[in-house]
């Protein structure tokens, strides 16, 4: 399942699809299948235009992010669960650093809460999600990250083996039970929260959704945007990937609802 999902995404993301249709246009052109070649070229051009020069991705991502509003800080806090996906694992493994990626707000927010609630335990769930499996995961790197900011390693619970959000929930369930923890904050990116909550609910784990790492301003509409094609492409890819996950996990029986809220 893990390898299959990786391969589906390699070929299913928008820019990969555009490339595949360009390749199909070239191949069918060589065989003089003019109609098929022209149709494939048109589809490739349409995918590229929507991906690069419209706000479709921003709009879809915003809907995911708005599904779970962030509540106000609680009066007290016993524990928090931080899902991996915030570190540049390949770079950190090679350079032994703590380089953050675009999802780094997950750990910045966890650090803020850890300093505000010094009694709270921090469960970091994240192994190496690459196909090679040769890199340090977020749980390992977090043991270097938090102590640098005055949070002792003794407050950390490290779940080092999960590669997917489903494995995050399954492995976290056992760790929570063994330490007598419940009703923890669940910290992950806003767009990733619906799928995460659905999976945790399916496992019978009560969590308080705590979204962070927002990619949109909350006021996105549908339209044309020639000013930032790289951002448009990244946000569309991220939104489509999440919907792949939501639909796939729902039909695989891994989430409680198709679109948890």
């Amino acid at each position: 399942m893990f390898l299959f999902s990786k391969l589906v995404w390699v070929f299913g993301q928008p820019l990969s699809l555009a490339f595949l249709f360009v390749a199909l246009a070239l191949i069918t052109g060589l065989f003089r299948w003019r109609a098929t070649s022209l149709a494939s070229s048109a589809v490739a051009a349409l995918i590229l235009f929507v991906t690069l020069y419209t706000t479709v991705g921003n709009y879809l991502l915003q809907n995911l992010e708005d599904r779970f509003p962030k509540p106000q800080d609680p009066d007290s806090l016993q524990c928090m669960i931080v899902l991996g996906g915030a570190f540049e694992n390949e770079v950190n493994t090679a350079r032994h650093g703590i380089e953050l990626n675009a999802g780094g707000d997950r750990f910045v927010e966890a650090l803020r809460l850890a300093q505000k609630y010094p009694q709270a335990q921090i469960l970091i769930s994240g192994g190496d999600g690459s196909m090679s499996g040769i890199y340090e995961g977020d749980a390992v790197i977090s043991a270097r990250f938090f102590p640098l900011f005055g949070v002792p390693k003794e407050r950390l619970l490290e779940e080092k083996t999960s590669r997917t959000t489903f494995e995050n929930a399954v492995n976290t369930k056992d760790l929570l039970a063994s330490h007598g923890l419940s009703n923890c904050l669940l910290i992950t990116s806003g767009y990733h929260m619906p799928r995460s909550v659905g999976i945790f609910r399916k496992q019978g784990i009560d969590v308080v959704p705590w979204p962070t790492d927002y990619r949109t301003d909350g006021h996105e509409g549908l339209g044309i945007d020639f000013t930032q094609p790289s951002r448009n492409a990244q946000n569309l890819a991220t939104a489509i990937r999440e919907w792949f996950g939501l639909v796939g996990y729902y039909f695989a029986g891994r989430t409680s609802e198709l679109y948890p809220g």
Side-chain angles (χ1 to χ4, degrees), residues 90-102:
E90 296 89 339
V91 175
N92 290 326
T93 301
R95 298 183 180 274
H96 307 291
I98 50 170
E99 302 295 331
L100 296 166
N101 61 28

Side-chain angles (χ1 to χ4, degrees), residues 192-214:
H192 186 53
M193 189 60 74
R195 181 157 58 108
S196 301
V197 169
I199 295 168
F200 274 75
R201 284 176 180 170
K202 187 71 173 182
Q203 292 296 317
I205 306 172
D206 291 324
V207 292
V208 177
W210 201 265
T212 187
D213 176 34
Y214 291 99

